[in-house]
Amino acid sequence: MQQDTLLTAGSQLTAGRQSTTSPQLTANESPDAETVIIDTGCANLSSVRFAFERLGAKVLVTDDKAKIKAAKRVVLPGVGTAGAAMASLHEKGLVELIQGLTQPVLGVCLGMQMLAAISKERGGKGQDCECLGIIPTDICELDTQLLKAESLPLPHMGWNQLKLTTNSQGANSPNVHPLFAGIEDGSYVYFVHSYRAPLSEFTLAECTYGEGFSAAIGKGNFMGVQFHPEKSAAVGAQILRNFLQMDELQMNKALVNEALMNEALQSSSADGQAGAKKADQ
């Protein structure tokens, strides 16, 4: 059964007193939200929803396919295990829909991990969990040997620093991904996780906890953060504010910029190889 929730910033406190789950859409609420949070059925949606509402955004929590597809931007939240979260998406028939979205999509915590190809978080099952396959990277457990060597506990829980990267779409060096506009390198955000995405060409920001890992990843109109922006004070609020300013047109421009930059890099690399070959001759 599909559930819709639309709450404006003005109704936040009342809704928070009534329930910690997603209340039903009432006759006095208008379903005109531009930002949709997917009701995955396995996430604490209230904290993410309230974080957007504090910024004045109208947010709709739903698993309705038409409303997700029509949204200006989409948030994919998640807590728990990858297997349970993906099973819920399959049950709701949302996997192919999410894979085909063209507007900005933000995965939060487990939602970020679900954007990957596979997760090693098996949840008691004998095989890896197949995820959405949108960003070609794999999710593995933080290296327990490295953590043990530094006397670091698992899960990684608490505040840690971000190192921003510039190898992402929309980056006109030395700028970073639009999601991190106005965020200072070294800013602290709040983490709670045991699994991580490795550093790769899709890394938008990195963090170190025993090892370096991707604190944020992105590809095209899809992006995800391993940390909890809704629990990360002013830095997290700025990141969510940046996301609220994104739209499909901006992401399309970013993709064009990325293609042009990649073409320029390939051309420069080819010229360099040709020059080196000529010099050897």
Side-chain angles (χ1 to χ4, degrees):
M1 178 178 179
Q2 296 175 337
Q3 292 186 338
D4 295 349
T5 303
L6 178 66
L7 290 167
T8 62
S11 63
Q12 172 186 345
L13 294 179
T14 301
R17 287 193 297 266
Q18 290 176 337
S19 174
T20 58
T21 59
S22 301
Q24 294 289 335
L25 189 69
T26 70
N28 295 325
E29 294 169 337
S30 174
D32 60 350
E34 294 183 336
T35 302
V36 161
I37 299 176
I38 297 178
D39 185 357
T40 59
C42 58
N44 179 8
L45 303 175
S46 297
S47 60
V48 176
R49 184 186 69 201
F50 291 158
F52 280 108
E53 290 171 353
R54 285 195 294 270
L55 299 175
K58 291 182 178 181
V59 180
L60 179 67
V61 179
T62 186
D63 58 7
D64 183 280
K65 296 179 182 179
K67 292 174 182 176
I68 294 172
K69 190 172 182 179
K72 194 170 184 178
R73 60 193 69 84
V74 174
V75 180
L76 178 64
V79 294
T81 66
M86 287 304 303
S88 179
L89 292 184
H90 279 290
E91 182 180 350
K92 291 172 177 284
L94 295 177
V95 171
E96 291 185 2
L97 173 71
I98 295 172
Q99 292 170 333
L101 293 176
T102 57
Q103 63 269 63
V105 178
L106 175 65
V108 176
C109 195
L110 181 61
M112 184 208 83
Q113 297 181 8
M114 287 192 285
L115 297 176
I118 63 169
S119 173
K120 298 289 185 178
E121 187 178 21
R122 297 180 175 181
K125 297 183 178 180
Q127 58 186 18
D128 297 337
C129 174
E130 183 177 348
C131 298
L132 291 167
I134 294 170
I135 300 178
T137 189
D138 295 341
I139 305 299
C140 301
E141 189 175 34
L142 286 163
D143 193 316
T144 55
Q145 294 300 315
L146 292 176
L147 295 179
K148 184 177 180 180
E150 298 186 28
S151 299
L152 295 172
L154 192 69
H156 174 207
M157 182 182 300
W159 297 88
N160 210 336
Q161 289 181 284
L162 294 176
K163 179 181 178 182
L164 305 180
T165 63
T166 58
N167 62 341
S168 55
Q169 79 279 0
N172 297 316
S173 184
N175 295 334
V176 297
H177 190 278
L179 187 65
F180 293 99
I183 302 299
E184 293 186 7
D185 201 36
S187 293
Y188 282 86
V189 291
Y190 192 82
F191 291 87
V192 183
H193 67 112
S194 296
Y195 287 76
R196 73 356 172 217
L199 298 176
S200 70
E201 62 183 292
F202 305 105
T203 300
L204 306 182
E206 60 184 87
C207 183
T208 300
Y209 188 73
E211 62 179 311
F213 66 90
S214 291
I217 57 177
K219 183 175 186 285
N221 57 301
F222 291 88
M223 63 210 84
V225 293
Q226 181 60 70
F227 54 91
H228 289 269
E230 76 280 11
K231 298 179 180 179
S232 297
V235 173
Q238 181 60 49
I239 290 170
L240 295 182
R241 189 177 292 110
N242 291 339
F243 180 68
L244 288 172
Q245 294 173 354
M246 295 182 186
D247 56 29
E248 188 169 349
L249 178 60
Q250 181 187 31
M251 297 311 299
N252 286 338
K253 289 180 179 179
L255 289 172
V256 171
N257 287 338
E258 178 186 25
L260 292 174
M261 290 176 64
N262 288 338
E263 183 178 344
L265 288 172
Q266 291 174 0
S267 177
S268 176
S269 177
D271 291 343
Q273 291 175 358
K277 185 175 181 180
K278 186 175 181 181
D280 291 340
Q281 295 174 347

